Amino acid sequence: MCVVEWGGLETSTLIFYVVVMLASAKLLEIPFRRLNLNPIPAYVLAGFIVGPYVLGIIEFYLELTSIAYLGLILLMLYTGLTTEFREIKSNFKEVVAMGSLGIIVTFIAVYTYLWLLGFPSIISLFIAVALSNTATETVAGVLARSGESKLRSLVIGASFFDDIIAVYLITLLTGFGLRELSIEDLLAFTAKTVAFIAIAFYISSLFSSKYTRIYQYMSKNYFWFASSVVLIALVLALIARMVGLSELLGAYLAGVIISRSREFHDPMLRTRIALTNFISDFAVILDVIFIPIFFVYVGLSYSIREVDVILYASLLTLAMIGKFIGVYPYAYAVFRDRSSAIAAGILMGSRGSLDIALLRLGLEAELIDQTVFSTVLTVALTTTILTPLIYTIVYKGKAV
């Protein structure tokens, strides 16, 4: 019998690891789904249980890293596909202001606290950045049945703006890793990233206005549409890598370019239907395979014994209150309604997939140690669970 090996790992062992990862993830996912909670914490917990710190069933291998990283690339593509560019464009001032204020206040609070504790500047910067983002997937899930369209539009738009910032930071980390950046390096890298994003957005604008036939041609056949989306994502990921940026940025921008196909007037709605069907089918594949595998992989590095309880409690408080203080005043000025402003402040406090991915990349780049990783990861997971619960408790019986 021929035994195929992937590096140092036999095919049978690799398959066994994937089965264990998926089975444990789906088993622990059940109670989260029943409570309408984001299942990401369940996946991380599954990785912790089957990983080296508890049962020791799964060990780290390069092959697992490759599969998990592919899942992250596909997740970035999905994030781009679900980005409502019109939501950001139509409420640009409010979206940018709300997103920026939440990021700035949280960043300053977390960075200052860690700096006072004596953490190195680069680690303080990294943690502050990781805890300043908002999880679009959690916000969208909570507001899916909200009757308040303006609240839903602005909060989801602000979280999308947060995603763009997070993608830039992930690109920065994967581009430079642990190396201390000079001002010249940072400015050059930022200029290159902004130029790459600007070109992608310009191309997407051309496609959605002047060259709409490209979208129409793609959507004539659903299988051709699906193949084109994946191919465009991989090509842009490769181009991003070739110019010194992260392939994750390329995959995200490919999703944005395709997502703008919903903007042009299509009397037959063929393109919009193809996009909607693809996002739905793609989400199933991600939910069933790639997202669980990636976050179980993250959980393999998690150790509850490494969590610094005092640091955890203080960072959790700063992460939740920082977002609320940053968002509430401006949200109140926009909505002129205390209930909606409180809702916005609560919802912007959730962290999710991009933040956790950033933490994992930071650990792999040796930017943070095991204690910081486990502690900050616990903070992010806690906000993922707490945000919808707080929102539900505060607004139980209310139509927000």
Side-chain angles (χ1 to χ4, degrees), residues 3-49:
V3 178
V4 180
E5 291 190 7
W6 297 74
L9 191 62
E10 290 186 0
T11 302
S12 58
T13 305
L14 177 62
I15 294 174
F16 172 73
Y17 281 176
V18 171
V19 169
V20 171
M21 293 170 79
L22 288 176
S24 59
K26 294 303 174 182
L27 182 63
L28 293 179
E29 175 187 347
I30 294 173
F32 282 78
R33 292 290 189 188
R34 287 180 177 176
L35 294 172
N36 292 319
L37 295 175
N38 192 317
I40 287 177
Y43 301 154
V44 176
L45 179 60
F48 169 63
I49 292 173

Side-chain angles (χ1 to χ4, degrees), residues 33 56 62-63 90 96 108 123 149 152 162 167 211 217-218 221 228 236 241 283 318:
R33 292 290 189 188
L62 179 60
E63 293 77 13
S90 61
V96 172
I108 292 175
I123 296 179
S149 59
R152 183 172 59 248
D162 279 15
V167 170
Y211 304 109
Y217 182 77
M218 286 174 56
N221 182 284
S228 299
L236 269 186
R241 189 69 175 181
L318 291 172

